[in-house]
Amino acid sequence: MTRSRPTSNPARRNETGSRITTTGARIIADMLDGYGVTHVFLVPAILRRTLAELELHHPHIARVVTHGEKAAAYMADGYARVSGRPGIAAAQVVGALNLAAGLREPFLAGSPVIALTGGRSPATKFRRVYQEIDDLPAFDPVTKLNATIDDAGRLPDMLRQAFRVATTGAPGPVHLQIQGNEGQLDLHETDAEPLVEPVFGRVPPIRPVPDDQTVRHILRLLAGAERPVIVAGGGVRASGAGAELVALAEALRIPVATSANGKDTIPGTHRLSLGVVGSYSRESANQAVARADLVCFIGTGTGGMTTHFWAVPPEGTPAIQIDIEPSRLGLNYPLKAFLSADAKAALTRMLALTHSREEQERAHDEQERTPDERERAARPREEQARAGDGQARSRDEQTRAGDGQTRSARREAWLAEVEGLRADWRARYREVLTSDAVPIRPERIASELTAGLPDNAVLVADTGHAGMWMAQFHDVTGPGQGYLRSAGHLGWAFSAGVGAQLAAPERPVVVFTGDAGLYYHLGEIETAVRRRANLITVVNNNRGGNQSKRGFDRAYGGQGTPQSRELWTYEDVDFARIAGEMGALGIRVDKPRDLAPALDRALSAGRPVVIDVHTDIEVVAPLPVSS
Ligand SMILES: Cc1ncc(C[n+]2csc(CCOP(=O)(O)OP(=O)(O)O)c2C)c(N)n1
Ligand SMILES: [Mg+2]
């Protein structure tokens, strides 16, 4: 760990003996730079002097002005999820609660966002001062740390705390309220000095390692299970452990389902991939996980969405859990074994001990053999068969081999069953996945995204139907692709996509959202154009929030009425034209065969693109299954 300088140095003096002081603004600016921050998302006016210091001393840090504080939080969130670095969002006192609302999503998703807001001044609080309320309590439920800074000398240690808390354990948001409605504390002079611990500028800063004894125990449990399944979550992505997950699944021959948040940890096209399990899920994944006799959860909080409210797998299913956050272990499923460790560290060790166990078993077999047996084993297999050597093996060896064979045959049967579920699912939905229907079916958009996204693309999906369509019908096709999803907030994806694109300008970022989702932060199209965040937005434009259709039909006695439709339908709006007006490229698509060319055109457009796909308002996504 690099510690540059001590927190405060009361004796700092120049050669003439007078105290050397720095502004709070310079401290914040230098520390943001020291932690590797490249973008700050904000609605003015907050920390004005800090923004000026950034421009003067760290001009590579972009100050991204948005059209709303919630959008700023979502951009910081998308930035954080793609880069693994804390995203910074800032707002003055009157915008603080808008920012707090925006922290709900990264809090639910485990994404490190640091929110800086203006605070109250001791000289004026409780006097009905303009625009001011006590914002602090609103940040409590959406942050891991919610703190005030009232003395410029405390900026270095509080910023250090912010980065440390946001990135360690299960990552999440932090709020620092800086005194003054616009954070004017940054104008104050202090003799404190910036202090940076760069290791906490990235997730995960610490990789707790597992103990070998437990790892061996877990490997034995997994080897002994008849129908094991791994459920991988966002913690595996945060840990950068996708490759290790796939390698372990292959070595142990265990199928892998993911949470929606962990979808990009194994390509959906991999033969051991079951797809996304839970509520917004693929049927075959739920069917397989519901049948498992042992579930190994890695980097997932085992929440309601991932387990379809604890029905998949059913509560009480024997389980193993591996998580960097010890307080999650055993939260919803009683555990046969657990590891409090970083996912990559745990998977790497499991893989190493798997290989060394195989080697040990080979070495053990070798030692047990008589010189005669050893000689026979060295002969080619056909020769052994001819000589009838099979019967000459020691009884021990036969038992071991017999057990191994039964186990192996059972595992083969499980993998064949899982393959059958995958094939059945594909056959059942082939028609809608390839449908040429006009208006377009959303399943067809999903399969065009599977086919058309480049190897390094990041797909950012909104919630509701957008999350369902992607979880059910889209596949990540390679280890270089990323997938981010809303943890529940409609309207997150577009702003998050802007942040993701700014964090990774070299990667194609593609947002998939419904029309209701896009309406939330439509104004941010201008931000994308202004900041050259050249993302592609694919809108499933059905002129309504039609995930609500089923619920309202039910509420009206089973059949929709014109009045019930008032509750979820909108005007027919052409988003391609709106995007064009704001300086983006708008492409309208009405026919399925125009989807692929539109995507190709967007990928080489060199500016933000909105592909407005006009789809069938009556089509709703299949409901999740629990068995
Ligand atoms: C902040 C927030 N408010 C409300 C909801 C409830 N909600 C989920 S999906 C949905 C409608 C989605 O409409 P749209 O984005 O057009 O997608 P569609 O269902 O039409 O495909 C609503 C209102 C939510 N998830 N988040
Ligand atoms: Mg819609």
Side-chain angles (χ1 to χ4, degrees):
M1 187 185 308
T2 323
R3 286 181 178 248
S4 6
R5 270 166 278 168
T7 309
S8 87
N9 181 359
R12 277 177 77 206
R13 301 199 178 265
N14 64 16
E15 34 322 331
T16 63
S18 48
R19 281 174 69 217
I20 301 172
T21 59
T22 321
T23 60
R26 184 66 193 272
I27 289 176
I28 301 172
D30 287 357
M31 286 184 68
L32 292 180
D33 178 52
Y35 277 100
V37 169
T38 58
H39 291 75
V40 177
F41 303 92
L42 71 137
V43 176
I46 176 72
L47 299 171
R48 294 180 205 249
R49 179 68 180 267
T50 302
L51 296 175
E53 296 288 354
L54 281 173
E55 204 264 317
L56 273 174
H57 300 285
H58 310 289
H60 60 281
I61 299 182
R63 302 155 305 166
V64 181
V65 172
T66 70
H67 296 294
E69 294 81 5
K70 181 148 64 72
Y74 289 173
M75 286 184 200
D77 181 11
Y79 170 97
R81 293 198 213 180
V82 157
S83 67
R85 295 181 171 283
I88 312 292
Q92 72 179 73
V93 83
V94 74
L97 290 199
N98 297 344
L99 196 54
L103 293 185
R104 228 183 111 111
E105 169 68 31
F107 185 78
L108 293 174
S111 171
V113 172
I114 298 177
L116 307 174
T117 68
R120 313 171 88 180
S121 168
T124 52
K125 64 182 172 183
F126 309 122
R127 298 187 65 188
R128 289 181 57 78
V129 65
Y130 182 52
Q131 296 180 326
E132 196 176 287
I133 61 163
D134 180 9
D135 297 315
L136 217 55
F139 284 88
D140 269 343
V142 293
T143 53
K144 292 176 72 185
L145 170 71
N146 179 23
T148 52
I149 309 180
D150 301 304
D151 179 331
R154 295 296 309 279
L155 283 165
D157 80 291
M158 291 308 293
L159 280 166
R160 278 170 53 220
Q161 282 203 46
F163 280 91
R164 193 180 327 110
V165 173
T167 54
T168 47
V174 164
H175 172 229
L176 296 180
Q177 190 191 66
I178 301 174
Q179 197 180 90
N181 65 333
E182 297 173 358
Q184 290 91 331
L185 188 71
D186 74 341
L187 297 169
H188 292 205
E189 296 277 336
T190 169
D191 52 20
E193 292 182 76
L195 194 159
V196 173
E197 297 159 326
V199 70
F200 295 108
R202 183 176 282 285
V203 171
I206 301 165
R207 293 189 183 273
V209 292
D211 69 285
D212 282 358
Q213 204 185 337
T214 313
V215 170
R216 286 200 180 90
H217 177 51
I218 287 175
L219 289 172
R220 275 195 299 274
L221 289 171
L222 289 170
E226 206 167 295
R227 298 183 306 282
V229 162
I230 293 172
V231 174
V236 177
R237 170 156 38 77
S239 172
E244 289 78 7
L245 171 75
V246 173
L248 187 78
E250 286 171 354
L252 302 182
R253 298 189 309 147
I254 299 180
V256 180
T258 71
S259 69
N261 199 15
K263 178 167 161 157
D264 57 3
T265 60
I266 179 169
T269 44
H270 191 284
R271 69 195 152 78
L272 288 171
S273 163
L274 295 169
V276 176
V277 66
S279 294
Y280 291 176
S281 61
R282 181 171 292 179
E283 275 167 33
S284 50
N286 279 19
Q287 287 163 340
V289 175
R291 285 266 298 136
D293 65 347
L294 179 65
V295 176
C296 180
F297 294 105
I298 310 177
T300 162
T302 67
M305 201 61 176
T306 302
T307 59
H308 195 32
F309 298 87
W310 311 287
V312 183
E315 270 176 300
T317 301
I320 296 166
Q321 196 175 349
I322 301 171
D323 207 284
I324 199 164
E325 178 56 56
S327 64
R328 290 177 170 195
L329 297 170
L331 175 67
N332 290 313
Y333 293 86
L335 301 175
K336 296 270 175 223
F338 56 84
L339 284 174
S340 166
D342 166 61
K344 193 182 190 118
L347 287 162
T348 303
R349 199 62 198 143
M350 286 168 83
L351 208 51
L353 292 187
T354 300
H355 292 321
S356 79
R357 197 180 61 169
E358 282 165 4
E359 273 152 31
Q360 275 165 15
E361 275 174 7
R362 266 197 297 279
H364 178 77
D365 286 354
E366 188 62 19
Q367 269 172 16
E368 297 276 290
R369 285 173 175 151
T370 62
D372 239 22
E373 283 173 341
R374 237 173 276 162
E375 188 268 327
R376 270 198 300 274
R379 275 191 258 151
R381 209 172 268 269
E382 314 84 78
E383 207 182 301
Q384 287 177 37
R386 270 201 305 277
D389 281 356
Q391 286 127 34
R393 282 187 293 178
S394 74
R395 185 155 300 166
D396 249 21
E397 202 182 339
Q398 283 182 33
T399 319
R400 236 191 343 264
D403 280 358
Q405 270 165 17
T406 333
R407 232 171 24 206
S408 174
R410 286 209 199 110
R411 186 61 62 83
E412 273 321 310
W414 172 230
L415 293 180
E417 185 181 337
V418 159
E419 189 46 49
L421 292 172
R422 277 163 51 102
D424 287 353
W425 176 83
R426 207 156 281 285
R428 206 160 44 249
Y429 288 103
R430 181 162 296 123
E431 203 177 311
V432 286
L433 281 162
T434 55
S435 169
D436 288 325
V438 176
I440 296 173
R441 290 190 66 104
E443 300 92 329
R444 175 70 189 263
I445 307 178
S447 61
E448 292 294 336
L449 290 172
T450 303
L453 292 192
D455 291 346
N456 63 341
V458 182
L459 183 55
V460 185
D462 214 46
T463 192
H465 263 159
M468 292 177 89
W469 295 125
M470 289 301 108
Q472 295 182 359
F473 295 107
H474 161 267
D475 279 316
V476 168
T477 55
Q481 287 186 343
Y483 179 85
L484 311 175
R485 64 85 180 90
S486 163
H489 292 87
L490 191 68
W492 168 84
F494 179 67
S495 299
V498 173
Q501 185 69 82
L502 290 171
E506 71 294 350
R507 298 178 73 177
V509 171
V510 179
V511 166
F512 179 71
T513 174
D515 47 329
L518 187 64
Y519 275 123
Y520 269 79
H521 301 121
L522 205 51
E524 304 303 339
I525 294 175
E526 188 278 335
T527 308
V529 170
R530 174 167 35 92
R531 299 304 316 193
R532 297 189 168 72
N534 296 332
L535 75 167
I536 298 166
T537 303
V538 177
V539 191
N540 170 20
N541 183 359
N542 52 17
R543 300 161 305 287
N546 92 320
Q547 196 195 34
S548 304
K549 174 182 178 348
R550 231 180 322 232
F552 282 122
D553 286 358
R554 238 192 341 262
Y556 277 75
Q559 292 291 325
T561 66
Q563 287 70 31
S564 79
R565 287 176 83 89
E566 275 174 18
L567 296 166
W568 61 272
T569 58
Y570 315 130
E571 296 294 307
D572 189 354
V573 165
D574 187 332
F575 291 111
R577 276 185 56 201
I578 291 176
E581 277 303 311
M582 290 196 197
L585 172 63
I587 305 175
R588 177 176 169 136
V589 173
D590 290 285
K591 298 193 195 75
R593 66 163 181 274
D594 295 335
L595 279 165
L599 197 55
D600 281 346
R601 192 175 156 211
L603 285 165
S604 56
R607 59 180 166 135
V609 181
V610 174
I611 304 177
D612 185 22
V613 187
H614 287 247
T615 54
D616 192 338
I617 191 169
E618 303 303 333
V619 177
V620 292
L623 293 172
V625 300
S626 50
S627 61

